[in-house]
Amino acid sequence: MRFKDVFSIIGPSMVGPSSSHTAGAVRIGLAARQALGEPPLEADILLYGSFAQTYRGHGTDLALIAGLLGYSTDDERIPDAYRQAELAGLQVRIQAEKRPEAHPNTAALSLRGRTERIRAKGRSIGGGNVEIVGIDRFDVKFAAAQPTLLVFHADRSGMVAEVSGVLTRAQVNISHMQVDRESRNGAALTVVECDQLPGGEALGEIGRIAGVGKVRLIDLAAKEGIG
């Protein structure tokens, strides 16, 4: 990964002993919450590699739960995350996996809210930076360092152009876009990383495009937001 500024190297303002095991874990949890689109009620979390071996000592479990609750990396409630989850009605189950993963600091989260479900896999890659490397059954990868749209839709001709057109009219510049699909004309996910934060009007317009099922905004800079 190429770091874009000195803050990416120094790391974020944070509560916890480790930018990788704590701050990064908060961001993975927050990205998963925002991808769900509502407060989660149940979370099944699988930890791999170093996460699985040291999560209790480094507070990785607390950090992931804090992210699922919508907290930022410097929230003083992180050490109290289990109690805060109980107060919020969030049931959490954590399991350490022995199977290897491509990156040692990996967490896979299966979330259920009142109406939505989602699976997300993320890696903490150092300095509080993360990569989301899977959403549901889609093989995508994004850093969530910029405002990022997840557009769940039916695969059809012109879909990417229509999404891009909405963002162009809203004066939102696209820095990177990727698409994965289950099959030709099947379910698909388009991931759009943006230089500017798309407004609610643009999100609503994308949601009304024919074939779009739902739109989620990943914005890790938003405190207490769910996207």
Side-chain angles (χ1 to χ4, degrees):
M1 175 180 179
R2 182 175 62 186
F3 296 104
K4 295 182 173 62
D5 53 55
V6 67
F7 298 105
S8 298
I9 301 171
I10 294 173
S13 174
M14 54 175 270
V15 172
S18 167
S19 59
S20 293
H21 286 231
T22 312
V26 171
R27 287 175 167 169
I28 291 171
L30 181 56
R33 173 187 171 106
Q34 293 178 341
L36 179 67
E38 62 180 3
L41 299 177
E42 293 184 14
D44 289 288
I45 302 173
L46 299 180
L47 302 177
Y48 296 86
S50 180
F51 267 9
Q53 296 166 7
T54 65
Y55 73 91
R56 290 187 178 92
H58 284 174
T60 304
D61 52 343
L62 299 172
L64 286 164
I65 295 168
L68 292 176
L69 292 170
Y71 300 171
S72 58
T73 58
D74 59 356
D75 197 297
E76 295 181 356
R77 294 170 291 181
I78 291 175
D80 194 35
Y82 277 104
R83 190 176 73 89
Q84 295 297 329
E86 184 177 354
L87 293 174
L90 169 59
Q91 298 180 12
V92 180
R93 293 172 288 272
I94 296 178
Q95 179 179 334
E97 277 287 333
K98 295 182 179 179
R99 293 176 296 166
E101 257 289 338
H103 192 281
N105 298 336
T106 299
L109 302 90
S110 297
L111 307 182
R112 182 186 68 81
R114 290 188 64 185
T115 61
E116 299 288 339
R117 295 176 181 266
I118 204 160
R119 296 190 307 274
K121 180 180 285 188
R123 303 168 178 166
S124 180
I125 60 175
N129 299 287
V130 302
E131 288 179 338
I132 305 303
V133 294
I135 295 290
D136 283 340
R137 63 271 194 198
F138 299 109
D139 183 16
V140 294
K141 183 168 74 172
F142 58 93
Q146 302 165 268
T148 301
L149 294 180
L150 306 181
V151 184
F152 298 83
H153 60 88
D155 179 53
R156 66 167 176 82
S157 176
M159 177 63 75
V160 170
E162 290 183 47
V163 171
S164 300
V166 172
L167 294 175
T168 298
R169 291 191 293 275
Q171 298 186 324
V172 174
N173 190 52
I174 296 172
S175 63
H176 187 259
M177 178 182 283
Q178 58 185 299
V179 181
D180 190 33
R181 61 185 184 177
E182 288 187 320
S183 62
R184 185 175 181 179
N185 299 320
L189 171 62
T190 293
V191 177
V192 188
E193 297 174 77
C194 305
D195 287 339
Q196 295 83 26
L197 188 66
E201 185 174 341
L203 297 180
E205 187 174 349
I206 293 172
R208 291 189 293 272
I209 293 174
V212 171
K214 59 185 177 183
V215 181
R216 297 288 181 257
L217 172 63
I218 308 296
D219 177 21
L220 300 188
K223 294 194 175 185
E224 298 293 334
I226 64 171

